[in-house]
Amino acid sequence: MTPETTSHLGQISAAAGMGLSVVGLGVGVGLIFASFIQGIARQPELEGKLMTWTLVGAAIVEGIAIFAAIMCFLAIHG
Amino acid sequence: MAPKFDLNDFIMHHIGDSYEWHIPLFSPIHLPHFLTVHMLMLMIGTAFLLFLMLGVYRKQDRVPTGITNFIEFFVVYIRDEIVVPNMGQEEGEKFTPMFCSFFFFILLLNLMGLIPIFSTATGNINLTSGLAFLIFVLMVGGTLMRGGIMGMWHALVPPGIPGWFVPFMFVIEVFLLFVRCVALAMRLFANMIAGHIVITAFLGLCILFGVWAGVLAFPMAVLFYCMEIFVCLLQAFIFVLLSAIFIGHMYHPKH
């Protein structure tokens, strides 16, 4: 832990944290859209209603990853 | 010799609030001490909305055409799919103007951020916190006015749970009340800011590494710009949908 690395500790941890949080985001949104496609395969008439809730769910899950992005951005400068 | 280009500064300059309004191709306008750029965007947005909605209201046709048709699509969608299913029929119709105001306000402020002259007022945590605070006041104040303290208690702690669990349920529900409103504010703020950071970062890459990186980075910035339009609509819709769900849940607890 030389001074050269500890002075950039905030930046290193921010980058690592962001990469880790995107793993969970990818799995979450993938699950949502997988069940959307299965739902349409079973009953194609429900496309409108299912599409609405798919997008709502995707926005909520992405919101959590974006909180993490903002915190990482603050960690770069704080 | 040109000063060294600082990417950090470039990004912060474009997404932060300031007292100088930078219009492209003109010199920056220095604003008075009580006005910042985001406040100016608020005022311009409100004036535009008032002008638009009053103009639409005066037309009074039986069958709407043109702009009225376009706005009516959103208003009817908000009433029939967002407010009334969550809050019941008569109360939903009383609350529809408020949710429409929130929706058009947030949508207009989001879209104004995409025009190069203006900046994103919803990219300011203070504004989104103010909107979420309004929703919080509606949730708590409305429940207290409708049912008093007992109404609040029934909204937080449903009547059928065992006695030993009641303190935990109360603490969790009060915590959830605050967390939901904070999440509303943070979600809108973070989505708007993140989009603009990405676009500004790609354009900064074009400047920093010259034309050959710019050939790849500039189309990426344009693609993100297109995604931003979708995100603006989606985030306004999500804000109104979630606040209707939360308020309906407090007024008519269906545990």
Side-chain angles (χ1 to χ4, degrees):
Chain A
M1 281 283 175
T2 59
E4 293 94 54
T5 45
T6 44
S7 67
H8 292 287
L9 201 56
Q11 298 178 333
I12 298 173
S13 59
M18 198 54 227
L20 272 177
S21 72
V22 168
V23 172
L25 170 70
V27 172
V29 173
L31 277 173
I32 291 177
F33 279 93
S35 48
F36 174 58
I37 294 176
Q38 277 192 10
I40 293 193
R42 286 171 189 245
Q43 201 172 347
E45 303 90 46
L46 287 181
E47 181 170 346
K49 243 181 139 73
L50 284 183
M51 173 81 99
T52 305
W53 283 103
T54 305
L55 288 176
V56 169
I60 296 181
V61 171
E62 281 194 25
I64 301 176
I66 293 191
F67 301 166
I70 298 296
M71 290 300 139
C72 291
F73 201 68
L74 284 176
I76 295 181
H77 297 292
Chain B
M1 181 79 182
K4 187 170 181 321
F5 177 72
D6 188 6
L7 186 62
N8 230 357
D9 217 24
F10 181 64
I11 296 180
M12 280 300 168
H13 180 75
H14 274 258
I15 65 175
D17 208 358
S18 79
Y19 284 101
E20 293 197 346
W21 189 18
H22 290 261
I23 309 182
L25 304 177
F26 289 96
S27 64
I29 301 177
H30 197 80
L31 299 169
H33 66 275
F34 53 84
L35 204 61
T36 73
V37 176
H38 287 173
M39 289 166 67
L40 191 65
M41 294 305 125
L42 261 183
M43 285 162 44
I44 295 177
T46 316
F48 179 74
L49 261 184
L50 269 175
F51 177 69
L52 177 71
M53 294 301 171
L54 282 174
V56 155
Y57 184 70
R58 267 171 217 264
K59 281 165 74 174
Q60 301 276 358
D61 295 328
R62 296 304 305 166
V63 175
T65 57
I67 298 266
T68 320
N69 200 7
F70 183 64
I71 293 178
E72 196 207 7
F73 169 68
F74 288 113
V75 174
V76 168
Y77 188 83
I78 291 175
R79 189 192 65 185
D80 289 339
E81 310 284 337
I82 298 180
V83 182
V84 165
N86 288 306
M87 297 183 64
Q89 183 68 35
E90 349 76 61
E91 211 168 47
E93 292 190 351
K94 276 190 275 187
F95 270 89
T96 302
M98 192 200 75
F99 285 110
C100 287
S101 306
F102 269 107
F103 178 75
F104 284 112
F105 182 65
I106 295 177
L107 181 65
L108 184 70
L109 286 178
N110 287 350
L111 288 177
M112 267 169 69
L114 294 179
I115 304 174
I117 302 179
F118 304 125
S119 88
T120 326
T122 38
N124 194 341
I125 186 69
N126 303 304
L127 197 144
T128 53
S129 304
L131 289 169
F133 179 68
L134 280 176
I135 300 290
F136 179 76
V137 162
L138 266 172
M139 282 165 74
V140 170
T143 319
L144 285 175
M145 274 176 62
R146 287 157 54 94
I149 295 285
M150 282 317 290
M152 194 76 191
W153 180 258
H154 282 305
L156 292 179
V157 177
I161 58 175
W164 56 271
F165 195 59
V166 168
F168 295 107
M169 186 83 181
F170 183 69
V171 167
I172 290 176
E173 286 281 342
V174 167
F175 177 67
L176 223 52
L177 184 68
F178 288 99
V179 160
R180 285 189 295 218
C181 292
V182 167
L184 270 181
M186 287 281 320
R187 184 180 297 116
L188 181 57
F189 161 69
N191 270 291
M192 288 301 114
I193 279 290
H196 281 267
I197 288 178
V198 167
I199 292 174
T200 321
F202 273 118
L203 294 176
L205 273 181
C206 296
I207 302 179
L208 201 55
F209 291 122
V211 110
W212 297 113
V215 165
L216 292 172
F218 188 73
M220 283 302 293
V222 171
L223 272 172
F224 269 98
Y225 224 91
C226 296
M227 203 185 83
E228 267 305 288
I229 303 178
F230 173 65
V231 168
C232 289
L233 258 171
L234 185 69
Q235 286 308 313
F237 169 70
I238 291 279
F239 190 95
V240 171
L241 177 71
L242 285 178
S243 48
I245 291 178
F246 296 156
I247 292 180
H249 185 76
M250 289 293 279
Y251 286 5
H252 309 285
K254 289 188 290 287
H255 290 284

